[in-house]
Amino acid sequence: MFVRLKFRQLRKMAAPRPEFRHALWTRLTREMETMPNVLQSRRMTGRILRVLRYAAVPVVVLVLAMGTGAYAYVNPEITYEHPLYQVKHAVEQVEGAFVLTPRARARFETKMMARRVLELETIVSRGKSDGRASDEIARAHEQAISAAAEVKSEAVRDAVIARIEENADRHVKVLEAIEARAPEEAEKTLEQVIERQEQVLERRLEHVDALREEQVARQLERIEKLEALRDQAFAAKEAREEAIENEEIEAGEGDPPPLSSPFPKGGGSEGGGSVTRESPGLSPDSPSRPLPDSVPAAHE
Amino acid sequence: MICVRSARHMEHRKFADFYKAYLDKIYRYVFFRVGCKRETAEDITSDIFIKALANFESYDPTRGAGWIFTIARNTVINFWRDKYGREIAIEEIEDKEMFSSNGIRALEAFDDKRQLMEALSVLPKEKRELVTKKYIDGYSYADLAEMYKKEAGALKVAAHRALKEVKARLKHTADRI
């Protein structure tokens, strides 16, 4: 039973009608035209940007011709922290521009995802970890799923999705390794990863007609696994903070406070300890505070 | 002249992006607080975006969704205040329109959604509020962290645990049936 899926269906049920969406936007556009601070759109900026974008193509071709691009392209050691990473990225974009059919697009995007996972493995093998590589994987994952959903042949689609799942599972394995090595550092990374993986889930749900139910469910299971991992890391952090707190209390009991101050170490904060941690209990002030004005000020 | 026009064009695009990002969330927020009535939700959502447009100069994108949700909340409160003829808090509206038997009945046609709202309605208030904000209204953890003045990590763990409770209650209901 997937509660998140039910919530998603509930949200979908409560989505605005397309006619309403369009009608409201038309009304707002009319309002904008009559307002002094908003004018009709001008296309000059867009045109300039488009010209600049086309100008970037010869630059990429030049880099390719020099051979640097080819070196960067094939090398998994070239990760995002490497100076040649932008070149690698540009070459991939050029390759992507020549992919025309949905089947080729799906294969290309899956290949990109596999490359990103390989890069993360390289980064972790160097003893580093942060959320950026996982962000890249999630982006590639989303694109690969969207591309796979466009493939007409069910057999090809299943084969592509099997590869996507394989890479996604490899990603989770790397994260498990990061969590095992340094749980406290991993907590933040895992939070970012879960957020991005929820976007991947949304993407899968968008294509729920093309994908089979278990192909959507795999992603839900993956998120639950990551959440359990994050909880584990969070518990480790809490335990460590508690240990520090206890140590400080013990130290405070052992040493008499200095003569100049009647307060123990860390005095000034309520409770006397220098380590303060908010409990996860919830008591937001804003929702319960009635606001008389309809529009809040920006500095609120 | 070109600079002025470009700046205005940017404003136009900025508002278009803002509209795209928040229309669904705001509509949903209103929909569940007006007894799942489409027409009323559409009218109130329109009012909210007209107000947002009129005051768009004061919008600070770095502050997340709080700005537009505050407009939405106040507009919903005003709607019910006019109806009841007295001051009313958003919590009372939520109790009456979302989690009371009347509110849940509005979802009668969607049986599993009704069960979901029932499971949610028996959660402790704080947990229910967090799950509603995250999974129905669609607040991001960053927005929630600012609202509750808590760390996003702690909220994620709390939301995850609350979700587990919803799941357990749904399972309990399914077993009973």
PDB file of all heavy atoms in Angstrom, chain B residues 116-135:
ATOM      1  N   LEU B 116      -8.242   7.829   3.100  1.00  0.00           N
ATOM      2  CA  LEU B 116      -6.986   8.521   3.373  1.00  0.00           C
ATOM      3  C   LEU B 116      -7.232   9.728   4.284  1.00  0.00           C
ATOM      4  O   LEU B 116      -6.524   9.934   5.270  1.00  0.00           O
ATOM      5  CB  LEU B 116      -6.363   8.976   2.048  1.00  0.00           C
ATOM      6  CG  LEU B 116      -4.997   9.625   2.116  1.00  0.00           C
ATOM      7  CD1 LEU B 116      -3.944   8.645   2.578  1.00  0.00           C
ATOM      8  CD2 LEU B 116      -4.595  10.185   0.754  1.00  0.00           C
ATOM      9  N   MET B 117      -8.262  10.502   3.957  1.00  0.00           N
ATOM     10  CA  MET B 117      -8.577  11.676   4.778  1.00  0.00           C
ATOM     11  C   MET B 117      -9.036  11.251   6.168  1.00  0.00           C
ATOM     12  O   MET B 117      -8.746  11.932   7.150  1.00  0.00           O
ATOM     13  CB  MET B 117      -9.652  12.538   4.101  1.00  0.00           C
ATOM     14  CG  MET B 117      -9.189  13.219   2.843  1.00  0.00           C
ATOM     15  SD  MET B 117      -7.709  14.233   3.055  1.00  0.00           S
ATOM     16  CE  MET B 117      -8.419  15.811   3.426  1.00  0.00           C
ATOM     17  N   GLU B 118      -9.746  10.116   6.241  1.00  0.00           N
ATOM     18  CA  GLU B 118     -10.172   9.609   7.555  1.00  0.00           C
ATOM     19  C   GLU B 118      -8.959   9.242   8.398  1.00  0.00           C
ATOM     20  O   GLU B 118      -8.883   9.581   9.585  1.00  0.00           O
ATOM     21  CB  GLU B 118     -11.079   8.388   7.379  1.00  0.00           C
ATOM     22  CG  GLU B 118     -12.547   8.773   7.272  1.00  0.00           C
ATOM     23  CD  GLU B 118     -13.435   7.609   6.833  1.00  0.00           C
ATOM     24  OE1 GLU B 118     -12.912   6.494   6.567  1.00  0.00           O
ATOM     25  OE2 GLU B 118     -14.648   7.824   6.743  1.00  0.00           O
ATOM     26  N   ALA B 119      -8.014   8.547   7.766  1.00  0.00           N
ATOM     27  CA  ALA B 119      -6.791   8.147   8.482  1.00  0.00           C
ATOM     28  C   ALA B 119      -6.029   9.382   8.953  1.00  0.00           C
ATOM     29  O   ALA B 119      -5.479   9.414  10.049  1.00  0.00           O
ATOM     30  CB  ALA B 119      -5.911   7.290   7.579  1.00  0.00           C
ATOM     31  N   LEU B 120      -6.046  10.404   8.110  1.00  0.00           N
ATOM     32  CA  LEU B 120      -5.352  11.650   8.434  1.00  0.00           C
ATOM     33  C   LEU B 120      -6.062  12.388   9.570  1.00  0.00           C
ATOM     34  O   LEU B 120      -5.420  12.969  10.447  1.00  0.00           O
ATOM     35  CB  LEU B 120      -5.330  12.517   7.164  1.00  0.00           C
ATOM     36  CG  LEU B 120      -4.237  13.531   6.992  1.00  0.00           C
ATOM     37  CD1 LEU B 120      -2.879  12.896   7.138  1.00  0.00           C
ATOM     38  CD2 LEU B 120      -4.347  14.176   5.608  1.00  0.00           C
ATOM     39  N   SER B 121      -7.394  12.313   9.569  1.00  0.00           N
ATOM     40  CA  SER B 121      -8.170  13.088  10.548  1.00  0.00           C
ATOM     41  C   SER B 121      -7.959  12.593  11.983  1.00  0.00           C
ATOM     42  O   SER B 121      -8.162  13.350  12.917  1.00  0.00           O
ATOM     43  CB  SER B 121      -9.653  13.073  10.191  1.00  0.00           C
ATOM     44  OG  SER B 121     -10.175  11.781  10.419  1.00  0.00           O
ATOM     45  N   VAL B 122      -7.574  11.317  12.153  1.00  0.00           N
ATOM     46  CA  VAL B 122      -7.373  10.823  13.516  1.00  0.00           C
ATOM     47  C   VAL B 122      -5.923  10.953  14.004  1.00  0.00           C
ATOM     48  O   VAL B 122      -5.617  10.598  15.131  1.00  0.00           O
ATOM     49  CB  VAL B 122      -7.860   9.350  13.670  1.00  0.00           C
ATOM     50  CG1 VAL B 122      -9.364   9.278  13.562  1.00  0.00           C
ATOM     51  CG2 VAL B 122      -7.193   8.440  12.653  1.00  0.00           C
ATOM     52  N   LEU B 123      -5.071  11.477  13.156  1.00  0.00           N
ATOM     53  CA  LEU B 123      -3.684  11.715  13.605  1.00  0.00           C
ATOM     54  C   LEU B 123      -3.657  12.861  14.614  1.00  0.00           C
ATOM     55  O   LEU B 123      -4.517  13.744  14.561  1.00  0.00           O
ATOM     56  CB  LEU B 123      -2.820  12.151  12.413  1.00  0.00           C
ATOM     57  CG  LEU B 123      -2.141  11.147  11.523  1.00  0.00           C
ATOM     58  CD1 LEU B 123      -1.192  11.890  10.585  1.00  0.00           C
ATOM     59  CD2 LEU B 123      -1.336  10.141  12.312  1.00  0.00           C
ATOM     60  N   PRO B 124      -2.685  12.884  15.524  1.00  0.00           N
ATOM     61  CA  PRO B 124      -2.543  14.061  16.390  1.00  0.00           C
ATOM     62  C   PRO B 124      -2.417  15.326  15.531  1.00  0.00           C
ATOM     63  O   PRO B 124      -1.836  15.283  14.433  1.00  0.00           O
ATOM     64  CB  PRO B 124      -1.245  13.786  17.151  1.00  0.00           C
ATOM     65  CG  PRO B 124      -1.047  12.322  17.054  1.00  0.00           C
ATOM     66  CD  PRO B 124      -1.683  11.854  15.805  1.00  0.00           C
ATOM     67  N   LYS B 125      -2.952  16.422  16.050  1.00  0.00           N
ATOM     68  CA  LYS B 125      -3.091  17.645  15.254  1.00  0.00           C
ATOM     69  C   LYS B 125      -1.777  18.107  14.593  1.00  0.00           C
ATOM     70  O   LYS B 125      -1.761  18.468  13.420  1.00  0.00           O
ATOM     71  CB  LYS B 125      -3.642  18.760  16.130  1.00  0.00           C
ATOM     72  CG  LYS B 125      -4.387  19.787  15.334  1.00  0.00           C
ATOM     73  CD  LYS B 125      -5.071  20.772  16.219  1.00  0.00           C
ATOM     74  CE  LYS B 125      -5.632  21.876  15.344  1.00  0.00           C
ATOM     75  NZ  LYS B 125      -6.177  22.966  16.090  1.00  0.00           N
ATOM     76  N   GLU B 126      -0.689  18.066  15.359  1.00  0.00           N
ATOM     77  CA  GLU B 126       0.588  18.568  14.833  1.00  0.00           C
ATOM     78  C   GLU B 126       1.062  17.732  13.644  1.00  0.00           C
ATOM     79  O   GLU B 126       1.514  18.257  12.640  1.00  0.00           O
ATOM     80  CB  GLU B 126       1.652  18.529  15.925  1.00  0.00           C
ATOM     81  CG  GLU B 126       1.447  19.590  16.977  1.00  0.00           C
ATOM     82  CD  GLU B 126       2.479  19.507  18.079  1.00  0.00           C
ATOM     83  OE1 GLU B 126       3.152  18.467  18.183  1.00  0.00           O
ATOM     84  OE2 GLU B 126       2.609  20.476  18.833  1.00  0.00           O
ATOM     85  N   LYS B 127       0.924  16.422  13.800  1.00  0.00           N
ATOM     86  CA  LYS B 127       1.364  15.526  12.715  1.00  0.00           C
ATOM     87  C   LYS B 127       0.458  15.698  11.499  1.00  0.00           C
ATOM     88  O   LYS B 127       0.922  15.716  10.362  1.00  0.00           O
ATOM     89  CB  LYS B 127       1.316  14.072  13.192  1.00  0.00           C
ATOM     90  CG  LYS B 127       2.388  13.743  14.190  1.00  0.00           C
ATOM     91  CD  LYS B 127       2.312  12.295  14.568  1.00  0.00           C
ATOM     92  CE  LYS B 127       3.384  11.971  15.601  1.00  0.00           C
ATOM     93  NZ  LYS B 127       3.243  10.619  16.123  1.00  0.00           N
ATOM     94  N   ARG B 128      -0.837  15.814  11.769  1.00  0.00           N
ATOM     95  CA  ARG B 128      -1.792  15.969  10.671  1.00  0.00           C
ATOM     96  C   ARG B 128      -1.480  17.230   9.875  1.00  0.00           C
ATOM     97  O   ARG B 128      -1.494  17.232   8.651  1.00  0.00           O
ATOM     98  CB  ARG B 128      -3.201  16.060  11.279  1.00  0.00           C
ATOM     99  CG  ARG B 128      -4.290  16.043  10.250  1.00  0.00           C
ATOM    100  CD  ARG B 128      -5.636  16.131  10.911  1.00  0.00           C
ATOM    101  NE  ARG B 128      -5.936  17.502  11.297  1.00  0.00           N
ATOM    102  CZ  ARG B 128      -6.952  17.851  12.074  1.00  0.00           C
ATOM    103  NH1 ARG B 128      -7.744  16.921  12.587  1.00  0.00           N
ATOM    104  NH2 ARG B 128      -7.178  19.106  12.346  1.00  0.00           N
ATOM    105  N   GLU B 129      -1.169  18.280  10.612  1.00  0.00           N
ATOM    106  CA  GLU B 129      -0.872  19.558   9.960  1.00  0.00           C
ATOM    107  C   GLU B 129       0.366  19.439   9.076  1.00  0.00           C
ATOM    108  O   GLU B 129       0.383  19.918   7.943  1.00  0.00           O
ATOM    109  CB  GLU B 129      -0.648  20.596  11.045  1.00  0.00           C
ATOM    110  CG  GLU B 129      -0.723  22.010  10.528  1.00  0.00           C
ATOM    111  CD  GLU B 129      -0.583  22.999  11.661  1.00  0.00           C
ATOM    112  OE1 GLU B 129      -1.493  23.028  12.509  1.00  0.00           O
ATOM    113  OE2 GLU B 129       0.432  23.706  11.706  1.00  0.00           O
ATOM    114  N   LEU B 130       1.386  18.753   9.593  1.00  0.00           N
ATOM    115  CA  LEU B 130       2.623  18.603   8.830  1.00  0.00           C
ATOM    116  C   LEU B 130       2.388  17.789   7.553  1.00  0.00           C
ATOM    117  O   LEU B 130       2.826  18.176   6.470  1.00  0.00           O
ATOM    118  CB  LEU B 130       3.693  17.932   9.707  1.00  0.00           C
ATOM    119  CG  LEU B 130       5.044  17.708   9.053  1.00  0.00           C
ATOM    120  CD1 LEU B 130       5.693  19.033   8.667  1.00  0.00           C
ATOM    121  CD2 LEU B 130       5.977  16.924   9.970  1.00  0.00           C
ATOM    122  N   VAL B 131       1.676  16.667   7.708  1.00  0.00           N
ATOM    123  CA  VAL B 131       1.417  15.818   6.528  1.00  0.00           C
ATOM    124  C   VAL B 131       0.558  16.577   5.515  1.00  0.00           C
ATOM    125  O   VAL B 131       0.818  16.536   4.304  1.00  0.00           O
ATOM    126  CB  VAL B 131       0.722  14.491   6.946  1.00  0.00           C
ATOM    127  CG1 VAL B 131       0.300  13.684   5.739  1.00  0.00           C
ATOM    128  CG2 VAL B 131       1.666  13.660   7.809  1.00  0.00           C
ATOM    129  N   THR B 132      -0.443  17.307   6.005  1.00  0.00           N
ATOM    130  CA  THR B 132      -1.315  18.070   5.092  1.00  0.00           C
ATOM    131  C   THR B 132      -0.492  19.098   4.327  1.00  0.00           C
ATOM    132  O   THR B 132      -0.617  19.219   3.106  1.00  0.00           O
ATOM    133  CB  THR B 132      -2.420  18.804   5.898  1.00  0.00           C
ATOM    134  OG1 THR B 132      -3.095  17.842   6.686  1.00  0.00           O
ATOM    135  CG2 THR B 132      -3.408  19.497   4.983  1.00  0.00           C
ATOM    136  N   LYS B 133       0.347  19.808   5.047  1.00  0.00           N
ATOM    137  CA  LYS B 133       1.134  20.855   4.395  1.00  0.00           C
ATOM    138  C   LYS B 133       2.104  20.277   3.372  1.00  0.00           C
ATOM    139  O   LYS B 133       2.269  20.800   2.292  1.00  0.00           O
ATOM    140  CB  LYS B 133       1.900  21.685   5.431  1.00  0.00           C
ATOM    141  CG  LYS B 133       0.978  22.613   6.200  1.00  0.00           C
ATOM    142  CD  LYS B 133       1.774  23.675   6.902  1.00  0.00           C
ATOM    143  CE  LYS B 133       0.907  24.501   7.836  1.00  0.00           C
ATOM    144  NZ  LYS B 133      -0.333  24.957   7.255  1.00  0.00           N
ATOM    145  N   LYS B 134       2.720  19.167   3.746  1.00  0.00           N
ATOM    146  CA  LYS B 134       3.724  18.593   2.849  1.00  0.00           C
ATOM    147  C   LYS B 134       3.073  17.843   1.677  1.00  0.00           C
ATOM    148  O   LYS B 134       3.403  18.079   0.525  1.00  0.00           O
ATOM    149  CB  LYS B 134       4.650  17.657   3.664  1.00  0.00           C
ATOM    150  CG  LYS B 134       5.643  16.869   2.838  1.00  0.00           C
ATOM    151  CD  LYS B 134       6.641  17.784   2.152  1.00  0.00           C
ATOM    152  CE  LYS B 134       7.404  17.052   1.066  1.00  0.00           C
ATOM    153  NZ  LYS B 134       8.024  17.947   0.119  1.00  0.00           N
ATOM    154  N   TYR B 135       2.174  16.932   2.009  1.00  0.00           N
ATOM    155  CA  TYR B 135       1.712  16.007   0.965  1.00  0.00           C
ATOM    156  C   TYR B 135       0.416  16.415   0.268  1.00  0.00           C
ATOM    157  O   TYR B 135       0.090  15.885  -0.771  1.00  0.00           O
ATOM    158  CB  TYR B 135       1.569  14.595   1.544  1.00  0.00           C
ATOM    159  CG  TYR B 135       2.906  14.020   1.927  1.00  0.00           C
ATOM    160  CD1 TYR B 135       3.310  13.955   3.247  1.00  0.00           C
ATOM    161  CD2 TYR B 135       3.794  13.570   0.948  1.00  0.00           C
ATOM    162  CE1 TYR B 135       4.548  13.453   3.599  1.00  0.00           C
ATOM    163  CE2 TYR B 135       5.033  13.078   1.280  1.00  0.00           C
ATOM    164  CZ  TYR B 135       5.411  13.019   2.612  1.00  0.00           C
ATOM    165  OH  TYR B 135       6.645  12.532   2.942  1.00  0.00           O
TER     166      TYR B 135
END
